[in-house]
Amino acid sequence: MTSLGRLIFVDLHCRHSNSLSSDKPSVDVVDSLSLAFENLFYMPFDIIENYSNTLHTLDISHNKFSRNLQFLAEFENLTSLNLDHNNIDDHTVFPHMPKLQLLWLNHNNIEELYPFVKNLYESLPNLRYLCLMGNKAAPSYLNGGTFYDYLQYRLYVISWFPHLVHLDDRAVTPEQRQEAKRLFKRPLLENLTENAPLPECIKHLHNKIANIFSKPTLPYKLKPRGTHTQKQHRAVTKQVYCII
């Protein structure tokens, strides 16, 4: 899952592609491309023109991309995207990319899960592999998060993506999927559309209504020690501890 495969590296100054193995002849069809460490904040037009139809894997990590991601819609066949170490934040919205299955967003500026995860699901409904490590919204012991913070984060993200098989550094288990559905129930219409897609007009109406009336379903923060609410949280944590 962590391998982006055999990449084609591009020199932005000369615009010539070079294979990792210089002794092999160059290929006409490029399906994997790396533009990492190029200090980019927009995608050069000639890259889109030359590679958008053939790319399946794109690595644009260690750049300066933020909310200007609409160019990704041009890469219609993209299945893997690496956006590690950029400036992606809570308000970044991806274009609709139904073929994308792998997305890395490690070490960006994502601080709140809602509405970021909701928007991410609407844009990338078929994600199977997702990494959000190194963001404030993805708590762990590495960034000061508690076990309960990590647990609710993980289950919340899983609840949004029905096809997700791997989140961060570990696989999604059937027990986690079941617990995520129990804790973060999706509206009935969303559950129906997972298996039987509805016309776009009905989906659009549903999304407008949901945006007006829905509220974030993340659990409330823990109250001071000794309160009844915290005792309930401890009970929930103990109950689902075995699923991690």
Side-chain angles (χ1 to χ4, degrees), residues 43-170:
M43 181 61 67
F45 175 76
D46 54 346
I47 297 295
I48 297 175
E49 185 178 34
N50 294 330
Y51 300 105
S52 61
N53 293 328
T54 62
L55 282 186
H56 291 168
T57 298
L58 178 62
D59 181 358
I60 48 177
S61 60
H62 296 271
N63 282 292
K64 297 181 178 180
F65 291 104
S66 180
R67 302 178 187 178
N68 51 334
L69 299 181
Q70 292 307 307
F71 68 87
L72 290 172
E74 302 294 332
F75 297 87
E76 297 180 352
N77 297 311
L78 206 62
T79 59
S80 300
L81 175 62
N82 186 348
L83 270 165
D84 289 352
H85 294 275
N86 276 276
N87 296 322
I88 307 301
D89 62 22
D90 307 353
H91 303 287
T92 300
V93 177
F94 285 74
H96 188 58
M97 303 174 68
K99 292 185 179 181
L100 195 70
Q101 297 184 20
L102 182 150
L103 176 63
W104 289 352
L105 291 172
N106 301 309
H107 301 285
N108 277 277
N109 301 324
I110 306 167
E111 297 187 357
E112 299 291 340
L113 287 178
Y114 191 92
F116 178 79
V117 171
K118 176 179 180 292
N119 293 334
L120 196 65
Y121 163 70
E122 292 175 352
S123 299
L124 317 173
N126 297 312
L127 272 185
R128 294 172 56 82
Y129 303 92
L130 176 63
C131 286
L132 296 170
M133 294 185 294
N135 291 284
K136 186 177 179 180
S140 70
Y141 70 92
L142 295 176
N143 59 12
T146 65
F147 172 76
Y148 181 77
D149 293 334
Y150 166 77
L151 183 62
Q152 69 175 14
Y153 146 74
R154 184 171 180 84
L155 296 180
Y156 181 73
V157 174
I158 291 173
S159 73
W160 276 102
F161 294 94
H163 307 295
L164 201 65
V165 297
H166 207 284
L167 176 60
D168 294 338
D169 59 345
R170 60 185 65 189

